[in-house]
Amino acid sequence: MALPLRSLSRGLATAAKGDHGGAGAKTWRLLSFMLALPSVAICTINSWLHSGHRARPEFIPYHHLRIRTKPYSWGDGNHTLFHNPRVNALPTGYETP
Amino acid sequence: MLGTDIQKPPKGKWHTPPFDPRFPNQNQTRNCYQNFLDYHRCLKRMNRRGKSTQPCEYYFRVYHSLCPISWVQRWNQQIKEGTFAGKI
């Protein structure tokens, strides 16, 4: 992780705790719009910056992975439920080159 | 046996593997696996340095004593195919 976001958000939270306005709705509305939503925005930007296709690991037919003791009850019985052809390999190898 | 030329001790002097304090309990599967790994790691490093692999024979005898033959055959098959999952 490039950005130490956990410590960053902890810093933001303790800094904002200075307001002792009690448990009023105004306080929480303020916190939601001024603290929570900006944090969500920052984390979203961080994930989009780190996204993008990475080199996928080469395929080695390990026996402890991609086990098929019994075919799956859906499709052709060989694909997992959320199979992603780009990064998930079948027992015989990747589908897409 | 299995292609390695080890000296078999004379018949009266066969020893079982000594007590290994790393594996004190009844389940000796990790003992078997660890010695198998150690034998192959020893072999690889001795060969890389061009030294004799005679000290590695200890591990060979231990894992041959402890491991079920089917496991040893399966692992050797996997090593040959390149699908062995252990770090050697």
Side-chain angles (χ1 to χ4, degrees):
Chain A
M1 278 286 197
L3 302 172
L5 271 173
R6 175 159 286 203
S7 52
L8 190 65
S9 57
R10 202 165 276 153
L12 287 172
T14 47
K17 215 170 156 239
D19 175 24
H20 271 293
K26 184 164 187 246
T27 308
W28 289 111
R29 183 170 44 236
L30 211 66
L31 281 175
S32 298
F33 287 120
M34 299 280 108
L35 180 66
L37 291 185
S39 306
V40 169
I42 292 175
C43 292
T44 307
I45 294 171
N46 180 49
S47 353
W48 288 125
L49 288 177
H50 282 238
S51 73
H53 280 190
R54 291 193 171 83
R56 70 184 182 192
E58 61 161 301
F59 176 72
I60 303 175
Y62 286 121
H63 294 211
H64 64 287
L65 299 176
R66 299 168 277 263
I67 294 175
R68 300 286 188 271
T69 318
K70 164 187 160 180
Y72 290 114
S73 327
W74 54 81
D76 69 345
N78 202 20
H79 292 73
T80 53
L81 198 54
F82 299 102
H83 175 81
N84 179 349
R86 202 191 67 83
V87 284
N88 296 140
L90 293 181
T92 44
Y94 289 109
E95 286 174 306
T96 58
Chain B
M1 179 160 53
L2 290 184
T4 37
D5 52 339
I6 48 158
Q7 306 281 31
K8 232 180 173 173
K11 204 147 187 184
K13 293 189 183 284
W14 289 358
H15 296 292
T16 50
F19 173 67
D20 192 337
R22 298 175 298 173
F23 313 103
N25 297 317
Q26 179 154 347
N27 187 339
Q28 293 288 295
T29 50
R30 293 303 295 191
N31 195 352
C32 145
Y33 186 60
Q34 188 60 48
N35 281 288
F36 180 85
L37 288 178
D38 288 344
Y39 172 67
H40 286 280
R41 289 172 184 167
C42 175
L43 218 58
K44 178 177 176 186
R45 278 136 185 99
M46 291 304 220
N47 284 328
R48 191 189 336 143
R49 297 177 199 178
K51 296 201 180 147
S52 147
T53 58
Q54 205 275 327
C56 308
E57 300 309 328
Y58 168 79
Y59 299 118
F60 180 85
R61 295 224 307 275
V62 171
Y63 86 72
H64 262 278
S65 198
L66 294 170
C67 299
I69 288 198
S70 60
W71 292 12
V72 176
Q73 290 170 337
R74 177 163 33 103
W75 291 333
N76 283 328
Q77 176 76 13
Q78 286 179 349
I79 291 180
K80 229 188 323 194
E81 290 170 355
T83 62
F84 184 68
K87 222 180 196 180
I88 292 189

